[in-house]
Amino acid sequence: MQLAYLCSVAYVCFFIALIFVLDRIKMKERTLKVLFFLFALSLANIAFSKDPPRAWDLTFHLAYMDQIRNSPLSLFEFLFHNTSWVGGYPFFFTFNLLRYILCHLSRNNHWLPWTCVLIDYCIVGYIMRDWSKDHEKNGKVNWLSFLICFGLLPFVHANSGMRNALAFSLIGLGIYLYLYKRKSILFFGVLSFMALTIHPSVLICIPFVFLARFNLRKKGLILVFAASISIEWAARYLASHATGLFQMVGHLYLRYSGAGQFQLDPMVLLGTLGIVGLFFAQCCIADFSHCTNAERNIYAFLAYYMCFILSNVGNNDLVVRPAYLLGVLAPLLATLARKKSFWGKIRNQSAQPLAYAACAALCGFMVLQYAALYISS
C-alpha cells in the first residue's frame, strides 16, 4: 500500500499542475473523465493510508466497524431492529448499509473512508465537468473551482468526519440534477433520502431547494433570514414533541448550535464566513437576465442557502459544515466570480477583478490552512 500511497500523492500533484494549463490543452471528454476519476481515486487511496489521530471522528468510526463485524445481528436486524445501538447510529439506513457491506467484505476498516472519499470527489468531478461544458472556455474546468471546492469542502474533513461530507455531496448532486439539469423530483427524493440517512444535517438544504422554484427575489432573502431566526424554536419543538429521526434532528441542531458545539480554529471560521460573504454579495448584485430559468433557480438556491449560513454567524458548526455543500457546487460560484456578464452595470464590472482576486486569495488561504492541519494530524 505504500507504493499506492506514493503514486496517489504524485498523481494529485500532477493533476493540480494540469488544472492550471487545462484550458490550453485539447482533450477528449473521455480522457477528462478518466483524469478526474483517477484524481478521486488517488484522494481515496490517501484517505485509506491515513492513520487517524485520537481526536478524529474517524477513530470512533473504525472502532464501530469492529463492533458491527463482531455483532451477531443479521443485516435486517442491524438496519431495522438495532435496539442495542450496535455501531452507534441506529436510524441511518444508508450509512449502516454501507458499513455492514464493507465490514463483511473485508477486515480492513479503512475501506470505509476510502469509499466515502471516492464518492465525494467523483460527485465533485462530475459537477465540475458538466457545468464547465456550458460555462467555461473549451468546456475546461477553471482552477478557481478547485480552490473554492477544497476551501469549503476540505479533504481533511472528508477523510476525518466522512458522514457530513458524504451527505452534503449526495444532496448537492440531487440539487444540481433537480434545479439545473431538470431531472425528475424522484432523483432528488432518492438522493435526499440517502443523504438524510447518512447525516440529518442536510435537512437544512431542502426548504431552500423548493423556495428557489419561486421567483421571490429579495423577498425570499428576507423570508430566509426570518426563518433562520426562528429555527431554534422549531428545533426545540422537534426535540420535545417529535419521535425517531425528526426528534434526533432537533437534538442535533441544538447540540451543534449550543454551548457544546465543536470549537473550530477562529481563522477557519472567519475564512469560511469571508468566502460565503463575498459570494453572497455577488449573488445580490449579479445580473441574471441573460441566464436560463434553470440557472436562475440554482443561483437563487445558493443565495438563500448562503443567507442562512451568514445568519448563523455565532455558531461554528452551522457555518463551516453547511459550507461543504458550497464546495460541492464550487464551479457555479467560480463562474459567478469570473464572468463579467453576471456583473451587469459597468460600475459593477470594474469591481469584478478585485472580487475575483479576493475570492481566490481567501480560498487559497483556507486550502493552505486545511493542508497544514491534515499534514500535522
Side-chain angles (χ1 to χ4, degrees), residues 4-309:
Y5 172 78
L6 293 174
C7 290
S8 296
V9 171
Y11 182 81
V12 167
C13 294
F14 161 77
F15 187 83
I16 292 171
L18 179 65
I19 288 299
F20 286 91
V21 297
L22 198 57
D23 61 346
R24 295 190 289 273
I25 300 174
K26 290 185 178 180
M27 195 174 294
K28 293 181 179 179
E29 175 67 14
R30 183 178 297 177
T31 304
L32 200 59
K33 287 180 181 179
V34 171
L35 289 172
F36 268 85
F37 175 74
L38 290 176
F39 178 64
L41 182 63
S42 296
L43 291 176
N45 289 340
I46 293 169
F48 184 94
S49 302
K50 182 69 175 180
D51 186 20
R54 185 171 296 179
W56 278 21
D57 287 351
L58 181 57
T59 301
F60 303 104
H61 283 300
L62 298 181
Y64 279 141
M65 292 287 279
D66 286 328
Q67 191 181 107
I68 296 166
R69 186 180 293 109
N70 297 327
S71 168
L73 293 176
S74 66
L75 175 59
F76 181 86
E77 290 171 327
F78 180 60
L79 295 178
F80 302 110
H81 195 60
N82 186 4
T83 55
S84 55
W85 285 50
V86 171
Y89 301 101
F91 298 109
F92 301 131
F93 176 85
T94 302
F95 188 59
N96 286 338
L97 179 61
L98 174 64
R99 291 192 298 166
Y100 192 91
I101 291 170
L102 291 175
C103 277
H104 290 82
L105 285 177
S106 172
R107 298 196 65 83
N108 193 325
N109 296 334
H110 287 263
W111 285 112
L112 179 62
W114 183 92
T115 304
C116 293
V117 168
L118 181 65
I119 295 171
D120 291 342
Y121 291 105
C122 279
I123 289 172
V124 165
Y126 162 73
I127 293 175
M128 282 188 177
R129 288 185 290 101
D130 187 79
W131 178 264
S132 299
K133 281 190 292 188
D134 296 328
H135 298 90
E136 297 295 338
K137 179 183 176 182
N138 299 326
K140 302 298 175 63
V141 177
N142 181 262
W143 59 270
L144 183 59
S145 297
F146 278 87
L147 280 184
I148 297 169
C149 176
F150 285 94
L152 295 175
L153 177 66
F155 175 68
V156 62
H157 290 172
N159 188 176
S160 64
M162 297 184 304
R163 288 173 59 229
N164 261 288
L166 180 58
F168 277 112
S169 295
L170 286 170
I171 205 164
L173 177 61
I175 292 166
Y176 183 80
L177 292 176
Y178 178 58
L179 289 181
Y180 178 65
K181 301 296 286 184
R182 300 287 186 155
K183 297 294 184 183
S184 164
I185 194 171
L186 181 63
F187 283 93
F188 178 66
V190 170
L191 288 167
S192 296
F193 172 78
M194 292 173 66
L196 280 166
T197 53
I198 291 172
H199 201 294
S201 60
V202 298
L203 185 65
I204 60 174
C205 309
I206 295 175
F208 306 129
V209 174
F210 295 106
L211 187 62
R213 300 298 296 267
F214 300 96
N215 189 20
L216 298 178
R217 299 184 181 180
K218 291 182 180 179
K219 293 178 183 177
L221 294 177
I222 296 171
L223 181 62
V224 170
F225 184 74
S228 300
I229 295 173
S230 61
I231 196 170
E232 184 174 347
W233 174 86
R236 291 189 185 281
Y237 179 85
L238 288 175
S240 303
H241 298 88
T243 58
L245 182 61
F246 289 101
Q247 185 182 49
M248 182 174 288
V249 168
H251 283 302
L252 284 172
Y253 180 87
L254 294 173
R255 190 181 80 188
Y256 287 137
S257 63
Q261 65 181 285
F262 181 67
Q263 296 300 314
L264 300 160
D265 183 337
M267 295 305 293
V268 169
L269 178 63
L270 289 173
T272 303
L273 284 170
I275 296 169
V276 176
L278 268 173
F279 283 118
F280 177 70
Q282 290 176 51
C283 273
C284 289
I285 66 170
D287 176 13
F288 295 107
S289 60
H290 64 285
C291 294
T292 64
N293 285 336
E295 289 169 337
R296 289 193 193 100
N297 285 342
I298 200 160
Y299 276 116
F301 165 79
L302 288 171
Y304 298 147
Y305 190 66
M306 288 189 285
C307 180
F308 169 78
I309 291 174

